[in-house]
Amino acid sequence: MYSEGKQYTSLNTGGGYNNSKQWRRQSCWRKWKQLSSLQRSLILFILMLLFICGLAVYPTVTEHLRDNHSIQKPAIPHVLEEPVKQEQPLLPEKLPQRHQYNKRGPPLLQNHSKKKENSSDTAAAGKKDGERKREEGVISWRGSVIDTDQTTEGYGRPFETSQILGELCFPETSWPKAVQEAFKHAWKGYKEFSWGHDELRPVSKSYNEWFGLGLTLIDSLDTMWIMGLSEEFEEAKAWVATELSFNKNVDVNLFESTIRILGGLLSTYHLTKDELFLDKAKDIGSRLMPAFNTPSKIPYSDVNIGKGIAHPPRWTSDSTVAEVASIQLEFRELSRLTQEPQYQNVVAEVMDKIHKLGGKLDGLVPMFINTNNGQFTHQGIFTLGARADSYYEYLLKQWIQGGKKEEGLLQDYLQAIEGVKKNLLQKSSPNGLTFVGELSHGQFSPKMDHLVCFLPGTLALGAHNGLPADHMDLAKELMQTCYQMYAQMETGLSPEIVHFNMHQGSIRDIDVKLADRHNLLRPETVESLFYLYRLTKDQKYREWGWEILQSFNKFTKVSSGGYTSINNVRDPDYPSPRDKMESFFLGETLKYLYLLFSDDPDLISLDKYVFNTEAHPLPIWPSTE
Ligand code: DMJ
C-alpha cells in the first residue's frame, strides 16, 4: 500500500488536473481489489462503527457549535459579562409567547403557586423541553431560546423557572449573599469610575453629575450598613467626613435631595449613632428651607443650597404634588432630633393645605399644585403613578411614623384607597389581572407606570397596622400584576409603563408601547415583594424576587463594574444599555432584595421603622412623644 501511495503521488504530480481525478478513482478501486476479504471486512466494520458513533454524537456537537457561534454575539457587545458558570444558572428555555398565542391560544400567567401540570396549554406541556426548543427557536448565547420571528408585541414566559433557578442552582440560603455580590459589583463600578460623583455611567466608565453631592454614595450608606459591608461603609463614611460639603453654589431639587440625601443621612445616623451623619443632615436640611419661602407656602421645586435662593422650574410656577407631599417623614424626623420645630412646621403646613383643597376626586389628587396661589392645577387627571405616587405613600407612613395619632392623615389615606377602588381599579383581559389605571377628565386609560408598584407594599403595610383586611387582598392581587410586568417580558424585567387590554377577546393582558420599553433599575416591585413576604411569609414572593435579581444580573450587569438601565426589555439579544446606574438601585432596589431574602425579621423591623420613599428607614416615634 505504501509503495502505491508513492506511485500515486508521483503520477499525480506529473499528470494534468482532469486526468488525475479519473486516475485516482481507478487507483483506489485497484487497491481495494488487491485487499484480502478479511482486510476488506475489517475496513467495512470500522467504517460502520465510525458511522454509528457519528450519529450518536451529532446532536451534542451541533448544539455546542451553535452555542459557540452565538457567543460571538453578546447581548450588549463588550458591555455585559460573558456568562460565568456560577452566575448563569441552567436556565430552562424561555419560550416566545407569541408562538403560544398563535399555536395554542393564550399563555398561562406565571404563578409559582401553581404546578406546570395545571397548564391548560396541554400541547406545549406534553412536549419535552428539547422538542419545544427545536420547534420554536434557536438557542441564544445565554442558553435561553430566542424567537426566530419576533415581529409583534405580546411575548412572555409561560413556563415556570423559579423552582429550577432556586432549588437546583442556588439554595435559598445563598440569596442574601447573591444580593451582596450584586451590591459589591455595583459599588466597584461606582468606586472606580465615579467616586464622589452623583451617578455612575458604567458603559462609558464615567459619571453623571446632577447635584454634585455624591448622590449614589450617600444613598448607599445605610444599604451597606444593613448588608454588613463594613469595609465599603467605612470608605464611604471617610468621604462624607472629609469631602462632602453642602456649601456649594448648586441648584438641587427639593424632593430628590430630601428623600435621597437628608433621608439617607438620617437613617444612617439612626443605624450607626454616629453624629457625623446627623450634623450633615442638619446642614442639608437647613439649606433646603428657603424652598418654603413662597406666597402659598407650597415649596418651590429647586433650591440653590449655596446661595439660599429657591425657585420653581423655568417654565412654570407649579410644583409636583408627589414632590411637595413626600418630604414630610424626613423634615419631621429632623425636627424631632434637633428639637427645632421649623422643619416639621413647614411640611405640616403643606399637608394641611392639601388636606383642605378642592379639586380632589374621592380622595385622589391632581398631579400639580401652584406655588403662588396654592391651588391644584391641571385638574381632572388622576394617577397613582408619576407625580402623585408618593403622596399616598406618605399619608400612611406619616400616620405610622407619628404613632398612629394623626387622624387627618389616616382619613385622607383611607379615602384615597376607596377612590382608587372606585375610579382606577380594573381587570385585564383575558386573564383578569387587577391593575390601577389613570383617569383624564372622566376618561379611563388602562395605563400603569411601574412606579405604581409601590402600592401593594403600602397597602400591605396599612393592613399590618390595623387597616381593613381587604387592603391586604388588593395588595396580593396587585403584587401578582406587578410580577407579571416582569415575567411576561423577554428579559424578565419590567418596562417603565404598560398598557392593559380590557376588551373581550384580547389575546394578551399586557402591551408595551415602543417608547415605554426602558427599565431604569427601579425598586417599586421588589419593594412591595419585601413587604408582602415579611407580612405573609408566602414563599412565592421570595422566588419572584430571586427571578428579578437573576434578570438584573443577566441583562443589566456591566462587566467592568456597575449595572446599567436599559432601553428595551423586550429584546434579550440587545437590551440596549442607557449607560446610567441610578442611585436608587443601590439605595432601594438592592436593599429591598436583601431584606426580602434575609431571614431576620428584626433586621429593620416594620414595627420599629418606617421606610421613606427612597428606602431609608426612619424610626417610628415612641408613644411617649
Ligand atoms: C425613587 O427616587 C423613589 O422611590 C421615588 O419615590 C420614586 N422614584 C425613584 C425610584 O423609582
Side-chain angles (χ1 to χ4, degrees), residues 303-322:
V303 198
N304 185 306
I305 51 171
K307 293 184 181 162
I309 299 169
H311 61 88
R314 237 173 279 142
W315 58 91
T316 176
S317 54
D318 289 350
S319 283
T320 300
V321 171

PDB file of all heavy atoms in Angstrom, residues 303-322:
ATOM      1  N   VAL A 303     -33.797  74.551  44.880  1.00  0.00           N
ATOM      2  CA  VAL A 303     -33.118  75.449  45.815  1.00  0.00           C
ATOM      3  C   VAL A 303     -31.634  75.494  45.479  1.00  0.00           C
ATOM      4  O   VAL A 303     -31.033  74.449  45.237  1.00  0.00           O
ATOM      5  CB  VAL A 303     -33.164  74.917  47.268  1.00  0.00           C
ATOM      6  CG1 VAL A 303     -32.855  76.033  48.264  1.00  0.00           C
ATOM      7  CG2 VAL A 303     -34.453  74.222  47.585  1.00  0.00           C
ATOM      8  N   ASN A 304     -31.079  76.716  45.523  1.00  0.00           N
ATOM      9  CA  ASN A 304     -29.624  76.817  45.451  1.00  0.00           C
ATOM     10  C   ASN A 304     -29.109  76.753  46.885  1.00  0.00           C
ATOM     11  O   ASN A 304     -29.300  77.700  47.670  1.00  0.00           O
ATOM     12  CB  ASN A 304     -29.210  78.122  44.770  1.00  0.00           C
ATOM     13  CG  ASN A 304     -27.710  78.177  44.570  1.00  0.00           C
ATOM     14  OD1 ASN A 304     -26.942  78.010  45.516  1.00  0.00           O
ATOM     15  ND2 ASN A 304     -27.285  78.387  43.326  1.00  0.00           N
ATOM     16  N   ILE A 305     -28.471  75.642  47.225  1.00  0.00           N
ATOM     17  CA  ILE A 305     -28.115  75.415  48.637  1.00  0.00           C
ATOM     18  C   ILE A 305     -26.909  76.251  49.074  1.00  0.00           C
ATOM     19  O   ILE A 305     -26.652  76.392  50.275  1.00  0.00           O
ATOM     20  CB  ILE A 305     -27.855  73.916  48.950  1.00  0.00           C
ATOM     21  CG1 ILE A 305     -26.859  73.304  47.964  1.00  0.00           C
ATOM     22  CG2 ILE A 305     -29.155  73.138  48.962  1.00  0.00           C
ATOM     23  CD1 ILE A 305     -26.407  71.902  48.344  1.00  0.00           C
ATOM     24  N   GLY A 306     -26.196  76.812  48.119  1.00  0.00           N
ATOM     25  CA  GLY A 306     -25.083  77.704  48.481  1.00  0.00           C
ATOM     26  C   GLY A 306     -25.585  79.118  48.714  1.00  0.00           C
ATOM     27  O   GLY A 306     -25.221  79.772  49.693  1.00  0.00           O
ATOM     28  N   LYS A 307     -26.485  79.575  47.847  1.00  0.00           N
ATOM     29  CA  LYS A 307     -26.965  80.962  47.945  1.00  0.00           C
ATOM     30  C   LYS A 307     -28.207  81.111  48.820  1.00  0.00           C
ATOM     31  O   LYS A 307     -28.589  82.231  49.171  1.00  0.00           O
ATOM     32  CB  LYS A 307     -27.302  81.474  46.533  1.00  0.00           C
ATOM     33  CG  LYS A 307     -26.091  81.631  45.612  1.00  0.00           C
ATOM     34  CD  LYS A 307     -26.553  82.227  44.302  1.00  0.00           C
ATOM     35  CE  LYS A 307     -25.392  82.379  43.338  1.00  0.00           C
ATOM     36  NZ  LYS A 307     -25.873  82.544  41.960  1.00  0.00           N
ATOM     37  N   GLY A 308     -28.873  80.004  49.073  1.00  0.00           N
ATOM     38  CA  GLY A 308     -30.099  80.089  49.879  1.00  0.00           C
ATOM     39  C   GLY A 308     -31.246  80.701  49.105  1.00  0.00           C
ATOM     40  O   GLY A 308     -32.101  81.386  49.683  1.00  0.00           O
ATOM     41  N   ILE A 309     -31.289  80.488  47.818  1.00  0.00           N
ATOM     42  CA  ILE A 309     -32.373  81.025  46.984  1.00  0.00           C
ATOM     43  C   ILE A 309     -33.107  79.866  46.322  1.00  0.00           C
ATOM     44  O   ILE A 309     -32.473  78.954  45.768  1.00  0.00           O
ATOM     45  CB  ILE A 309     -31.809  81.958  45.886  1.00  0.00           C
ATOM     46  CG1 ILE A 309     -31.087  83.136  46.549  1.00  0.00           C
ATOM     47  CG2 ILE A 309     -32.923  82.455  44.973  1.00  0.00           C
ATOM     48  CD1 ILE A 309     -30.269  83.955  45.568  1.00  0.00           C
ATOM     49  N   ALA A 310     -34.448  79.947  46.379  1.00  0.00           N
ATOM     50  CA  ALA A 310     -35.235  78.873  45.768  1.00  0.00           C
ATOM     51  C   ALA A 310     -36.019  79.409  44.583  1.00  0.00           C
ATOM     52  O   ALA A 310     -36.272  80.612  44.491  1.00  0.00           O
ATOM     53  CB  ALA A 310     -36.185  78.281  46.792  1.00  0.00           C
ATOM     54  N   HIS A 311     -36.424  78.527  43.714  1.00  0.00           N
ATOM     55  CA  HIS A 311     -37.193  78.950  42.535  1.00  0.00           C
ATOM     56  C   HIS A 311     -37.950  77.765  41.949  1.00  0.00           C
ATOM     57  O   HIS A 311     -37.547  76.612  42.138  1.00  0.00           O
ATOM     58  CB  HIS A 311     -36.258  79.564  41.482  1.00  0.00           C
ATOM     59  CG  HIS A 311     -35.215  78.610  40.991  1.00  0.00           C
ATOM     60  ND1 HIS A 311     -35.418  77.767  39.938  1.00  0.00           N
ATOM     61  CD2 HIS A 311     -33.962  78.353  41.441  1.00  0.00           C
ATOM     62  CE1 HIS A 311     -34.327  77.034  39.749  1.00  0.00           C
ATOM     63  NE2 HIS A 311     -33.429  77.368  40.647  1.00  0.00           N
ATOM     64  N   PRO A 312     -39.021  78.073  41.207  1.00  0.00           N
ATOM     65  CA  PRO A 312     -39.718  76.988  40.509  1.00  0.00           C
ATOM     66  C   PRO A 312     -38.955  76.650  39.232  1.00  0.00           C
ATOM     67  O   PRO A 312     -38.008  77.367  38.878  1.00  0.00           O
ATOM     68  CB  PRO A 312     -41.075  77.607  40.178  1.00  0.00           C
ATOM     69  CG  PRO A 312     -40.824  79.076  40.111  1.00  0.00           C
ATOM     70  CD  PRO A 312     -39.663  79.380  40.995  1.00  0.00           C
ATOM     71  N   PRO A 313     -39.376  75.630  38.515  1.00  0.00           N
ATOM     72  CA  PRO A 313     -38.731  75.369  37.216  1.00  0.00           C
ATOM     73  C   PRO A 313     -38.933  76.566  36.283  1.00  0.00           C
ATOM     74  O   PRO A 313     -39.867  77.350  36.487  1.00  0.00           O
ATOM     75  CB  PRO A 313     -39.499  74.152  36.672  1.00  0.00           C
ATOM     76  CG  PRO A 313     -40.273  73.607  37.799  1.00  0.00           C
ATOM     77  CD  PRO A 313     -40.436  74.665  38.819  1.00  0.00           C
ATOM     78  N   ARG A 314     -38.092  76.704  35.265  1.00  0.00           N
ATOM     79  CA  ARG A 314     -38.119  77.899  34.393  1.00  0.00           C
ATOM     80  C   ARG A 314     -39.462  78.063  33.679  1.00  0.00           C
ATOM     81  O   ARG A 314     -39.911  79.154  33.420  1.00  0.00           O
ATOM     82  CB  ARG A 314     -36.995  77.794  33.363  1.00  0.00           C
ATOM     83  CG  ARG A 314     -36.065  78.990  33.425  1.00  0.00           C
ATOM     84  CD  ARG A 314     -34.868  78.808  32.531  1.00  0.00           C
ATOM     85  NE  ARG A 314     -33.847  77.971  33.155  1.00  0.00           N
ATOM     86  CZ  ARG A 314     -33.107  77.072  32.516  1.00  0.00           C
ATOM     87  NH1 ARG A 314     -33.292  76.868  31.233  1.00  0.00           N
ATOM     88  NH2 ARG A 314     -32.206  76.363  33.148  1.00  0.00           N
ATOM     89  N   TRP A 315     -40.141  76.956  33.383  1.00  0.00           N
ATOM     90  CA  TRP A 315     -41.316  77.021  32.522  1.00  0.00           C
ATOM     91  C   TRP A 315     -42.653  77.113  33.260  1.00  0.00           C
ATOM     92  O   TRP A 315     -43.698  77.229  32.647  1.00  0.00           O
ATOM     93  CB  TRP A 315     -41.333  75.811  31.589  1.00  0.00           C
ATOM     94  CG  TRP A 315     -41.331  74.514  32.356  1.00  0.00           C
ATOM     95  CD1 TRP A 315     -42.419  73.812  32.761  1.00  0.00           C
ATOM     96  CD2 TRP A 315     -40.199  73.786  32.821  1.00  0.00           C
ATOM     97  NE1 TRP A 315     -42.044  72.700  33.457  1.00  0.00           N
ATOM     98  CE2 TRP A 315     -40.674  72.642  33.513  1.00  0.00           C
ATOM     99  CE3 TRP A 315     -38.804  73.982  32.750  1.00  0.00           C
ATOM    100  CZ2 TRP A 315     -39.828  71.716  34.110  1.00  0.00           C
ATOM    101  CZ3 TRP A 315     -37.963  73.059  33.354  1.00  0.00           C
ATOM    102  CH2 TRP A 315     -38.473  71.938  34.009  1.00  0.00           C
ATOM    103  N   THR A 316     -42.640  77.070  34.610  1.00  0.00           N
ATOM    104  CA  THR A 316     -43.924  77.065  35.329  1.00  0.00           C
ATOM    105  C   THR A 316     -43.726  77.489  36.779  1.00  0.00           C
ATOM    106  O   THR A 316     -42.605  77.415  37.306  1.00  0.00           O
ATOM    107  CB  THR A 316     -44.548  75.643  35.312  1.00  0.00           C
ATOM    108  OG1 THR A 316     -45.743  75.652  36.085  1.00  0.00           O
ATOM    109  CG2 THR A 316     -43.609  74.596  35.884  1.00  0.00           C
ATOM    110  N   SER A 317     -44.786  77.929  37.405  1.00  0.00           N
ATOM    111  CA  SER A 317     -44.700  78.187  38.850  1.00  0.00           C
ATOM    112  C   SER A 317     -45.376  77.058  39.634  1.00  0.00           C
ATOM    113  O   SER A 317     -45.683  77.203  40.811  1.00  0.00           O
ATOM    114  CB  SER A 317     -45.333  79.544  39.192  1.00  0.00           C
ATOM    115  OG  SER A 317     -46.650  79.601  38.689  1.00  0.00           O
ATOM    116  N   ASP A 318     -45.632  75.958  38.962  1.00  0.00           N
ATOM    117  CA  ASP A 318     -46.225  74.790  39.616  1.00  0.00           C
ATOM    118  C   ASP A 318     -45.144  73.910  40.254  1.00  0.00           C
ATOM    119  O   ASP A 318     -44.019  73.839  39.761  1.00  0.00           O
ATOM    120  CB  ASP A 318     -46.955  73.906  38.588  1.00  0.00           C
ATOM    121  CG  ASP A 318     -48.227  74.562  38.071  1.00  0.00           C
ATOM    122  OD1 ASP A 318     -48.649  75.594  38.644  1.00  0.00           O
ATOM    123  OD2 ASP A 318     -48.794  74.029  37.100  1.00  0.00           O
ATOM    124  N   SER A 319     -45.539  73.235  41.303  1.00  0.00           N
ATOM    125  CA  SER A 319     -44.728  72.127  41.829  1.00  0.00           C
ATOM    126  C   SER A 319     -45.529  70.850  41.653  1.00  0.00           C
ATOM    127  O   SER A 319     -46.743  70.883  41.448  1.00  0.00           O
ATOM    128  CB  SER A 319     -44.406  72.335  43.306  1.00  0.00           C
ATOM    129  OG  SER A 319     -43.389  73.287  43.464  1.00  0.00           O
ATOM    130  N   THR A 320     -44.839  69.727  41.771  1.00  0.00           N
ATOM    131  CA  THR A 320     -45.495  68.423  41.639  1.00  0.00           C
ATOM    132  C   THR A 320     -46.068  68.012  42.997  1.00  0.00           C
ATOM    133  O   THR A 320     -45.384  68.158  44.017  1.00  0.00           O
ATOM    134  CB  THR A 320     -44.437  67.402  41.183  1.00  0.00           C
ATOM    135  OG1 THR A 320     -43.918  67.832  39.948  1.00  0.00           O
ATOM    136  CG2 THR A 320     -45.022  66.033  41.015  1.00  0.00           C
ATOM    137  N   VAL A 321     -47.283  67.494  42.988  1.00  0.00           N
ATOM    138  CA  VAL A 321     -47.917  67.137  44.265  1.00  0.00           C
ATOM    139  C   VAL A 321     -47.105  66.073  45.003  1.00  0.00           C
ATOM    140  O   VAL A 321     -46.863  66.180  46.211  1.00  0.00           O
ATOM    141  CB  VAL A 321     -49.380  66.679  44.044  1.00  0.00           C
ATOM    142  CG1 VAL A 321     -49.972  66.106  45.331  1.00  0.00           C
ATOM    143  CG2 VAL A 321     -50.224  67.855  43.557  1.00  0.00           C
ATOM    144  N   ALA A 322     -46.664  65.032  44.286  1.00  0.00           N
ATOM    145  CA  ALA A 322     -45.871  63.990  44.957  1.00  0.00           C
ATOM    146  C   ALA A 322     -44.621  64.608  45.588  1.00  0.00           C
ATOM    147  O   ALA A 322     -44.203  64.204  46.680  1.00  0.00           O
ATOM    148  CB  ALA A 322     -45.472  62.898  43.966  1.00  0.00           C
TER     149      ALA A 322
END
